[in-house]
Amino acid sequence: SNYASSGAGIYAGAKTSVTITGGNIKYNYASSYGGALYWKGATLSVNKLGSTYGTLSYNRAVKGGAVYFDADGNLTQAMMNNNQADNMGGAIYISGSKNVEINGAMKINSNETIGSNSYTACGGGIYNAGNLTISGSVQMQSNTANGKSNNGWGGAIFNTSSLIITGAMTMDNNSAVSTGSGKTAYGGAIYNSGSITMSAGSIGSSTTNYVSAASAANAQGGAIYVYGTATISGTAYVKYGNSTKPNDIYLSSTGKT
């Protein structure tokens, strides 16, 4: 258990190389960015040791509960669970123009972003303001954008820039929720105000993703809320849930597919 402004577990500055193999980074708190890891280095690798994942769990920050990317990087064979952000990116925050690839058998589960009177909860699993490519068999399950009295947007991913999905990703049981009067819950799995290109993977194939707000009219896009553009093709699969929890795609007035 460590405390810092940024990178309470590890602060990796420019030209730094970090390799985590089968280890655990837990119970760290950053009052700003990156509860477990603040990344501004050269190379980052998180791998398995035998059958044991490199694990980042129970960490907390305002942005990027587990990892804050302020440089290019990639993740493979890591497990990120039960991390929390007070504003954006329960597990991962990717800052503007940074290129990040998730290319292994990652598990990003049960992370949460918490809203407040001042902040909308954005990206229970990942907040992406850069260029994110998911090319591995990534599992994103039971992540939550919990707006509480404010808005909750993007249970698994909140994307404002470029999101490309080419791997066997699965998104199940993610949620965006709000209990505030007049507040909104958008994108149970993904909230997109940027660009999504999805040619593989599935959303809601096992368990539906969902949205919940004080007013049902303010809960939209159980699977994806599209404010920007989305291209879904190839073997990509979005399964409709049911009338109570429709795992649907919602197009806003400016959204395009």
Side-chain angles (χ1 to χ4, degrees):
S1 299
N2 300 289
Y3 174 87
S5 174
S6 295
I10 299 173
Y11 185 101
K15 300 183 180 179
T16 303
S17 295
V18 175
T19 300
I20 301 170
T21 303
N24 298 293
I25 304 177
K26 295 183 176 181
Y27 304 113
N28 299 286
Y29 175 73
S31 58
S32 294
Y33 309 136
L37 173 62
Y38 180 93
W39 178 248
K40 201 170 185 175
T43 60
L44 170 65
S45 180
V46 182
N47 306 297
K48 281 183 177 179
L49 177 61
S51 61
T52 303
Y53 281 84
T55 302
L56 290 77
S57 59
Y58 298 99
N59 301 286
R60 184 177 177 182
V62 174
K63 296 181 180 180
V67 181
Y68 185 99
F69 280 98
D70 199 21
D72 297 349
N74 64 76
L75 293 170
T76 179
Q77 309 289 5
M79 181 182 294
M80 298 184 182
N81 53 40
N82 296 292
N83 299 287
Q84 186 180 99
D86 296 333
N87 183 199
M88 300 174 178
I92 299 170
Y93 184 103
I94 303 166
S95 60
S97 77
K98 305 305 183 289
N99 301 301
V100 175
E101 183 171 4
I102 299 175
N103 56 12
M106 288 273 295
K107 294 185 178 182
I108 305 173
N109 298 331
S110 302
N111 302 284
E112 185 177 30
T113 298
I114 303 292
S116 67
N117 290 335
S118 302
Y119 298 112
T120 290
C122 298
I126 301 172
Y127 182 98
N128 176 46
N131 303 301
L132 172 61
T133 300
I134 299 175
S135 58
S137 53
V138 179
Q139 178 189 86
M140 298 193 72
Q141 180 175 305
S142 302
N143 300 287
T144 303
N146 185 358
K148 293 194 171 182
S149 61
N150 212 317
N151 305 304
W153 296 345
I157 300 176
F158 185 101
N159 176 58
T160 69
S161 187
S162 172
L163 172 61
I164 298 174
I165 300 170
T166 62
M169 177 205 68
T170 58
M171 289 185 175
D172 293 292
N173 198 41
N174 301 286
S175 60
V177 299
S178 172
T179 58
S181 177
K183 300 300 181 180
T184 57
Y186 292 158
I190 301 174
Y191 178 100
N192 174 54
S193 61
S195 171
I196 296 176
T197 301
M198 182 178 178
S199 59
S202 64
I203 301 177
S205 62
S206 177
T207 306
T208 189
N209 304 279
Y210 64 94
V211 287
S212 176
S215 169
N218 289 334
Q220 303 289 351
I224 308 174
Y225 183 94
V226 182
Y227 188 75
T229 62
T231 301
I232 300 173
S233 62
T235 59
Y237 177 54
V238 180
K239 181 181 179 180
Y240 182 77
N242 54 59
S243 59
T244 303
K245 293 182 177 180
N247 190 68
D248 60 331
I249 299 173
Y250 181 88
L251 295 179
S252 73
S253 59
T254 61
K256 297 179 181 180
T257 59

mmCIF file with all atom_site columns, all heavy atoms in Angstrom, residues 6 25 34-35 38 47 56 62 70 120 149 157 164 170 180 201-202 236 250-251 253:
data_model
loop_
_atom_site.group_PDB
_atom_site.id
_atom_site.type_symbol
_atom_site.label_atom_id
_atom_site.label_alt_id
_atom_site.label_comp_id
_atom_site.label_asym_id
_atom_site.label_entity_id
_atom_site.label_seq_id
_atom_site.pdbx_PDB_ins_code
_atom_site.Cartn_x
_atom_site.Cartn_y
_atom_site.Cartn_z
_atom_site.occupancy
_atom_site.B_iso_or_equiv
_atom_site.pdbx_formal_charge
_atom_site.auth_seq_id
_atom_site.auth_comp_id
_atom_site.auth_asym_id
_atom_site.auth_atom_id
_atom_site.pdbx_PDB_model_num
ATOM 1   N N   . SER A 1 6   ? 0.904   10.845  -8.225  1.00 0.00 ? 6   SER A N   1
ATOM 2   C CA  . SER A 1 6   ? 0.757   10.047  -9.444  1.00 0.00 ? 6   SER A CA  1
ATOM 3   C C   . SER A 1 6   ? 1.673   8.836   -9.361  1.00 0.00 ? 6   SER A C   1
ATOM 4   O O   . SER A 1 6   ? 2.796   8.923   -8.851  1.00 0.00 ? 6   SER A O   1
ATOM 5   C CB  . SER A 1 6   ? 1.118   10.877  -10.679 1.00 0.00 ? 6   SER A CB  1
ATOM 6   O OG  . SER A 1 6   ? 0.212   11.948  -10.866 1.00 0.00 ? 6   SER A OG  1
ATOM 7   N N   . ILE A 1 25  ? 0.494   -5.782  -8.088  1.00 0.00 ? 25  ILE A N   1
ATOM 8   C CA  . ILE A 1 25  ? 0.562   -4.401  -7.600  1.00 0.00 ? 25  ILE A CA  1
ATOM 9   C C   . ILE A 1 25  ? -0.822  -4.075  -7.064  1.00 0.00 ? 25  ILE A C   1
ATOM 10  O O   . ILE A 1 25  ? -1.784  -3.955  -7.831  1.00 0.00 ? 25  ILE A O   1
ATOM 11  C CB  . ILE A 1 25  ? 0.971   -3.416  -8.710  1.00 0.00 ? 25  ILE A CB  1
ATOM 12  C CG1 . ILE A 1 25  ? 2.297   -3.833  -9.340  1.00 0.00 ? 25  ILE A CG1 1
ATOM 13  C CG2 . ILE A 1 25  ? 1.089   -2.010  -8.143  1.00 0.00 ? 25  ILE A CG2 1
ATOM 14  C CD1 . ILE A 1 25  ? 2.743   -2.949  -10.489 1.00 0.00 ? 25  ILE A CD1 1
ATOM 15  N N   . GLY A 1 34  ? -3.014  7.466   -12.070 1.00 0.00 ? 34  GLY A N   1
ATOM 16  C CA  . GLY A 1 34  ? -2.346  6.178   -12.043 1.00 0.00 ? 34  GLY A CA  1
ATOM 17  C C   . GLY A 1 34  ? -2.121  5.600   -10.672 1.00 0.00 ? 34  GLY A C   1
ATOM 18  O O   . GLY A 1 34  ? -1.038  5.725   -10.118 1.00 0.00 ? 34  GLY A O   1
ATOM 19  N N   . GLY A 1 35  ? -3.133  4.920   -10.137 1.00 0.00 ? 35  GLY A N   1
ATOM 20  C CA  . GLY A 1 35  ? -3.002  4.359   -8.798  1.00 0.00 ? 35  GLY A CA  1
ATOM 21  C C   . GLY A 1 35  ? -1.861  3.369   -8.678  1.00 0.00 ? 35  GLY A C   1
ATOM 22  O O   . GLY A 1 35  ? -1.065  3.417   -7.742  1.00 0.00 ? 35  GLY A O   1
ATOM 23  N N   . TYR A 1 38  ? 2.012   5.048   -13.213 1.00 0.00 ? 38  TYR A N   1
ATOM 24  C CA  . TYR A 1 38  ? 1.988   6.216   -14.106 1.00 0.00 ? 38  TYR A CA  1
ATOM 25  C C   . TYR A 1 38  ? 3.043   5.974   -15.162 1.00 0.00 ? 38  TYR A C   1
ATOM 26  O O   . TYR A 1 38  ? 4.233   5.819   -14.839 1.00 0.00 ? 38  TYR A O   1
ATOM 27  C CB  . TYR A 1 38  ? 2.285   7.500   -13.338 1.00 0.00 ? 38  TYR A CB  1
ATOM 28  C CG  . TYR A 1 38  ? 2.264   8.756   -14.207 1.00 0.00 ? 38  TYR A CG  1
ATOM 29  C CD1 . TYR A 1 38  ? 1.099   9.503   -14.340 1.00 0.00 ? 38  TYR A CD1 1
ATOM 30  C CD2 . TYR A 1 38  ? 3.403   9.172   -14.881 1.00 0.00 ? 38  TYR A CD2 1
ATOM 31  C CE1 . TYR A 1 38  ? 1.067   10.641  -15.126 1.00 0.00 ? 38  TYR A CE1 1
ATOM 32  C CE2 . TYR A 1 38  ? 3.380   10.310  -15.674 1.00 0.00 ? 38  TYR A CE2 1
ATOM 33  C CZ  . TYR A 1 38  ? 2.215   11.044  -15.795 1.00 0.00 ? 38  TYR A CZ  1
ATOM 34  O OH  . TYR A 1 38  ? 2.197   12.169  -16.585 1.00 0.00 ? 38  TYR A OH  1
ATOM 35  N N   . ASN A 1 47  ? 3.233   -9.513  -18.097 1.00 0.00 ? 47  ASN A N   1
ATOM 36  C CA  . ASN A 1 47  ? 3.126   -10.865 -18.625 1.00 0.00 ? 47  ASN A CA  1
ATOM 37  C C   . ASN A 1 47  ? 2.742   -11.883 -17.558 1.00 0.00 ? 47  ASN A C   1
ATOM 38  O O   . ASN A 1 47  ? 2.785   -11.605 -16.365 1.00 0.00 ? 47  ASN A O   1
ATOM 39  C CB  . ASN A 1 47  ? 4.484   -11.297 -19.217 1.00 0.00 ? 47  ASN A CB  1
ATOM 40  C CG  . ASN A 1 47  ? 5.020   -10.326 -20.228 1.00 0.00 ? 47  ASN A CG  1
ATOM 41  O OD1 . ASN A 1 47  ? 4.408   -10.114 -21.252 1.00 0.00 ? 47  ASN A OD1 1
ATOM 42  N ND2 . ASN A 1 47  ? 6.156   -9.725  -19.925 1.00 0.00 ? 47  ASN A ND2 1
ATOM 43  N N   . LEU A 1 56  ? -2.860  -6.178  -11.451 1.00 0.00 ? 56  LEU A N   1
ATOM 44  C CA  . LEU A 1 56  ? -2.977  -4.847  -10.885 1.00 0.00 ? 56  LEU A CA  1
ATOM 45  C C   . LEU A 1 56  ? -4.399  -4.729  -10.354 1.00 0.00 ? 56  LEU A C   1
ATOM 46  O O   . LEU A 1 56  ? -5.357  -4.705  -11.141 1.00 0.00 ? 56  LEU A O   1
ATOM 47  C CB  . LEU A 1 56  ? -2.709  -3.762  -11.935 1.00 0.00 ? 56  LEU A CB  1
ATOM 48  C CG  . LEU A 1 56  ? -1.263  -3.606  -12.438 1.00 0.00 ? 56  LEU A CG  1
ATOM 49  C CD1 . LEU A 1 56  ? -0.917  -4.715  -13.437 1.00 0.00 ? 56  LEU A CD1 1
ATOM 50  C CD2 . LEU A 1 56  ? -1.072  -2.252  -13.119 1.00 0.00 ? 56  LEU A CD2 1
ATOM 51  N N   . VAL A 1 62  ? -7.733  9.428   -9.245  1.00 0.00 ? 62  VAL A N   1
ATOM 52  C CA  . VAL A 1 62  ? -8.776  10.255  -9.847  1.00 0.00 ? 62  VAL A CA  1
ATOM 53  C C   . VAL A 1 62  ? -8.952  9.866   -11.311 1.00 0.00 ? 62  VAL A C   1
ATOM 54  O O   . VAL A 1 62  ? -10.064 9.704   -11.802 1.00 0.00 ? 62  VAL A O   1
ATOM 55  C CB  . VAL A 1 62  ? -8.434  11.751  -9.710  1.00 0.00 ? 62  VAL A CB  1
ATOM 56  C CG1 . VAL A 1 62  ? -9.442  12.615  -10.463 1.00 0.00 ? 62  VAL A CG1 1
ATOM 57  C CG2 . VAL A 1 62  ? -8.415  12.150  -8.243  1.00 0.00 ? 62  VAL A CG2 1
ATOM 58  N N   . ASP A 1 70  ? 0.716   8.178   -20.225 1.00 0.00 ? 70  ASP A N   1
ATOM 59  C CA  . ASP A 1 70  ? 1.106   9.487   -20.728 1.00 0.00 ? 70  ASP A CA  1
ATOM 60  C C   . ASP A 1 70  ? 2.205   9.323   -21.774 1.00 0.00 ? 70  ASP A C   1
ATOM 61  O O   . ASP A 1 70  ? 2.977   10.241  -22.046 1.00 0.00 ? 70  ASP A O   1
ATOM 62  C CB  . ASP A 1 70  ? 1.590   10.382  -19.577 1.00 0.00 ? 70  ASP A CB  1
ATOM 63  C CG  . ASP A 1 70  ? 1.568   11.858  -19.958 1.00 0.00 ? 70  ASP A CG  1
ATOM 64  O OD1 . ASP A 1 70  ? 0.838   12.218  -20.895 1.00 0.00 ? 70  ASP A OD1 1
ATOM 65  O OD2 . ASP A 1 70  ? 2.282   12.651  -19.315 1.00 0.00 ? 70  ASP A OD2 1
ATOM 66  N N   . THR A 1 120 ? -18.822 13.731  -13.998 1.00 0.00 ? 120 THR A N   1
ATOM 67  C CA  . THR A 1 120 ? -19.457 12.581  -14.615 1.00 0.00 ? 120 THR A CA  1
ATOM 68  C C   . THR A 1 120 ? -18.515 11.385  -14.520 1.00 0.00 ? 120 THR A C   1
ATOM 69  O O   . THR A 1 120 ? -17.301 11.531  -14.651 1.00 0.00 ? 120 THR A O   1
ATOM 70  C CB  . THR A 1 120 ? -19.771 12.886  -16.090 1.00 0.00 ? 120 THR A CB  1
ATOM 71  O OG1 . THR A 1 120 ? -20.827 13.848  -16.153 1.00 0.00 ? 120 THR A OG1 1
ATOM 72  C CG2 . THR A 1 120 ? -20.191 11.639  -16.852 1.00 0.00 ? 120 THR A CG2 1
ATOM 73  N N   . SER A 1 149 ? -25.075 10.544  -8.251  1.00 0.00 ? 149 SER A N   1
ATOM 74  C CA  . SER A 1 149 ? -25.972 11.672  -8.468  1.00 0.00 ? 149 SER A CA  1
ATOM 75  C C   . SER A 1 149 ? -25.675 12.416  -9.766  1.00 0.00 ? 149 SER A C   1
ATOM 76  O O   . SER A 1 149 ? -26.368 13.365  -10.122 1.00 0.00 ? 149 SER A O   1
ATOM 77  C CB  . SER A 1 149 ? -25.889 12.648  -7.296  1.00 0.00 ? 149 SER A CB  1
ATOM 78  O OG  . SER A 1 149 ? -24.580 13.169  -7.168  1.00 0.00 ? 149 SER A OG  1
ATOM 79  N N   . ILE A 1 157 ? -15.821 1.027   -21.713 1.00 0.00 ? 157 ILE A N   1
ATOM 80  C CA  . ILE A 1 157 ? -14.912 1.953   -22.385 1.00 0.00 ? 157 ILE A CA  1
ATOM 81  C C   . ILE A 1 157 ? -15.609 3.275   -22.679 1.00 0.00 ? 157 ILE A C   1
ATOM 82  O O   . ILE A 1 157 ? -16.738 3.291   -23.186 1.00 0.00 ? 157 ILE A O   1
ATOM 83  C CB  . ILE A 1 157 ? -14.384 1.368   -23.708 1.00 0.00 ? 157 ILE A CB  1
ATOM 84  C CG1 . ILE A 1 157 ? -13.618 0.055   -23.477 1.00 0.00 ? 157 ILE A CG1 1
ATOM 85  C CG2 . ILE A 1 157 ? -13.477 2.372   -24.430 1.00 0.00 ? 157 ILE A CG2 1
ATOM 86  C CD1 . ILE A 1 157 ? -13.159 -0.632  -24.765 1.00 0.00 ? 157 ILE A CD1 1
ATOM 87  N N   . ILE A 1 164 ? -9.914  0.896   -32.126 1.00 0.00 ? 164 ILE A N   1
ATOM 88  C CA  . ILE A 1 164 ? -9.927  -0.148  -33.153 1.00 0.00 ? 164 ILE A CA  1
ATOM 89  C C   . ILE A 1 164 ? -9.921  -1.500  -32.454 1.00 0.00 ? 164 ILE A C   1
ATOM 90  O O   . ILE A 1 164 ? -9.037  -1.790  -31.638 1.00 0.00 ? 164 ILE A O   1
ATOM 91  C CB  . ILE A 1 164 ? -8.709  -0.028  -34.087 1.00 0.00 ? 164 ILE A CB  1
ATOM 92  C CG1 . ILE A 1 164 ? -8.731  1.317   -34.825 1.00 0.00 ? 164 ILE A CG1 1
ATOM 93  C CG2 . ILE A 1 164 ? -8.685  -1.181  -35.089 1.00 0.00 ? 164 ILE A CG2 1
ATOM 94  C CD1 . ILE A 1 164 ? -7.491  1.585   -35.656 1.00 0.00 ? 164 ILE A CD1 1
ATOM 95  N N   . THR A 1 170 ? -14.331 -9.867  -25.597 1.00 0.00 ? 170 THR A N   1
ATOM 96  C CA  . THR A 1 170 ? -15.692 -10.099 -25.131 1.00 0.00 ? 170 THR A CA  1
ATOM 97  C C   . THR A 1 170 ? -16.041 -9.046  -24.087 1.00 0.00 ? 170 THR A C   1
ATOM 98  O O   . THR A 1 170 ? -15.232 -8.742  -23.208 1.00 0.00 ? 170 THR A O   1
ATOM 99  C CB  . THR A 1 170 ? -15.855 -11.497 -24.513 1.00 0.00 ? 170 THR A CB  1
ATOM 100 O OG1 . THR A 1 170 ? -14.936 -11.661 -23.427 1.00 0.00 ? 170 THR A OG1 1
ATOM 101 C CG2 . THR A 1 170 ? -15.599 -12.577 -25.557 1.00 0.00 ? 170 THR A CG2 1
ATOM 102 N N   . GLY A 1 180 ? -29.160 10.183  -10.287 1.00 0.00 ? 180 GLY A N   1
ATOM 103 C CA  . GLY A 1 180 ? -29.426 11.610  -10.161 1.00 0.00 ? 180 GLY A CA  1
ATOM 104 C C   . GLY A 1 180 ? -30.636 12.057  -10.980 1.00 0.00 ? 180 GLY A C   1
ATOM 105 O O   . GLY A 1 180 ? -30.833 11.609  -12.112 1.00 0.00 ? 180 GLY A O   1
ATOM 106 N N   . GLY A 1 201 ? -14.729 -9.696  -32.300 1.00 0.00 ? 201 GLY A N   1
ATOM 107 C CA  . GLY A 1 201 ? -15.140 -9.579  -30.906 1.00 0.00 ? 201 GLY A CA  1
ATOM 108 C C   . GLY A 1 201 ? -16.643 -9.559  -30.750 1.00 0.00 ? 201 GLY A C   1
ATOM 109 O O   . GLY A 1 201 ? -17.400 -9.538  -31.722 1.00 0.00 ? 201 GLY A O   1
ATOM 110 N N   . SER A 1 202 ? -17.091 -9.581  -29.493 1.00 0.00 ? 202 SER A N   1
ATOM 111 C CA  . SER A 1 202 ? -18.524 -9.620  -29.222 1.00 0.00 ? 202 SER A CA  1
ATOM 112 C C   . SER A 1 202 ? -18.883 -8.730  -28.038 1.00 0.00 ? 202 SER A C   1
ATOM 113 O O   . SER A 1 202 ? -18.085 -8.534  -27.121 1.00 0.00 ? 202 SER A O   1
ATOM 114 C CB  . SER A 1 202 ? -18.977 -11.057 -28.936 1.00 0.00 ? 202 SER A CB  1
ATOM 115 O OG  . SER A 1 202 ? -18.373 -11.551 -27.753 1.00 0.00 ? 202 SER A OG  1
ATOM 116 N N   . ALA A 1 236 ? -17.525 -9.223  -36.032 1.00 0.00 ? 236 ALA A N   1
ATOM 117 C CA  . ALA A 1 236 ? -17.981 -8.502  -34.839 1.00 0.00 ? 236 ALA A CA  1
ATOM 118 C C   . ALA A 1 236 ? -19.458 -8.808  -34.585 1.00 0.00 ? 236 ALA A C   1
ATOM 119 O O   . ALA A 1 236 ? -20.260 -8.897  -35.518 1.00 0.00 ? 236 ALA A O   1
ATOM 120 C CB  . ALA A 1 236 ? -17.770 -7.010  -35.012 1.00 0.00 ? 236 ALA A CB  1
ATOM 121 N N   . TYR A 1 250 ? -27.281 2.756   -29.664 1.00 0.00 ? 250 TYR A N   1
ATOM 122 C CA  . TYR A 1 250 ? -28.083 3.972   -29.724 1.00 0.00 ? 250 TYR A CA  1
ATOM 123 C C   . TYR A 1 250 ? -27.306 5.051   -30.479 1.00 0.00 ? 250 TYR A C   1
ATOM 124 O O   . TYR A 1 250 ? -26.155 5.344   -30.154 1.00 0.00 ? 250 TYR A O   1
ATOM 125 C CB  . TYR A 1 250 ? -28.421 4.471   -28.320 1.00 0.00 ? 250 TYR A CB  1
ATOM 126 C CG  . TYR A 1 250 ? -29.278 5.722   -28.300 1.00 0.00 ? 250 TYR A CG  1
ATOM 127 C CD1 . TYR A 1 250 ? -30.661 5.632   -28.332 1.00 0.00 ? 250 TYR A CD1 1
ATOM 128 C CD2 . TYR A 1 250 ? -28.698 6.990   -28.267 1.00 0.00 ? 250 TYR A CD2 1
ATOM 129 C CE1 . TYR A 1 250 ? -31.460 6.769   -28.319 1.00 0.00 ? 250 TYR A CE1 1
ATOM 130 C CE2 . TYR A 1 250 ? -29.478 8.134   -28.257 1.00 0.00 ? 250 TYR A CE2 1
ATOM 131 C CZ  . TYR A 1 250 ? -30.853 8.019   -28.285 1.00 0.00 ? 250 TYR A CZ  1
ATOM 132 O OH  . TYR A 1 250 ? -31.646 9.148   -28.283 1.00 0.00 ? 250 TYR A OH  1
ATOM 133 N N   . LEU A 1 251 ? -27.948 5.614   -31.497 1.00 0.00 ? 251 LEU A N   1
ATOM 134 C CA  . LEU A 1 251 ? -27.342 6.710   -32.242 1.00 0.00 ? 251 LEU A CA  1
ATOM 135 C C   . LEU A 1 251 ? -27.905 8.032   -31.745 1.00 0.00 ? 251 LEU A C   1
ATOM 136 O O   . LEU A 1 251 ? -29.119 8.260   -31.794 1.00 0.00 ? 251 LEU A O   1
ATOM 137 C CB  . LEU A 1 251 ? -27.650 6.570   -33.746 1.00 0.00 ? 251 LEU A CB  1
ATOM 138 C CG  . LEU A 1 251 ? -27.069 5.366   -34.479 1.00 0.00 ? 251 LEU A CG  1
ATOM 139 C CD1 . LEU A 1 251 ? -27.497 5.394   -35.936 1.00 0.00 ? 251 LEU A CD1 1
ATOM 140 C CD2 . LEU A 1 251 ? -25.571 5.332   -34.360 1.00 0.00 ? 251 LEU A CD2 1
ATOM 141 N N   . SER A 1 253 ? -28.146 12.294  -32.041 1.00 0.00 ? 253 SER A N   1
ATOM 142 C CA  . SER A 1 253 ? -28.472 13.115  -33.196 1.00 0.00 ? 253 SER A CA  1
ATOM 143 C C   . SER A 1 253 ? -27.275 13.323  -34.115 1.00 0.00 ? 253 SER A C   1
ATOM 144 O O   . SER A 1 253 ? -27.440 13.621  -35.301 1.00 0.00 ? 253 SER A O   1
ATOM 145 C CB  . SER A 1 253 ? -29.011 14.471  -32.749 1.00 0.00 ? 253 SER A CB  1
ATOM 146 O OG  . SER A 1 253 ? -28.067 15.147  -31.951 1.00 0.00 ? 253 SER A OG  1
#
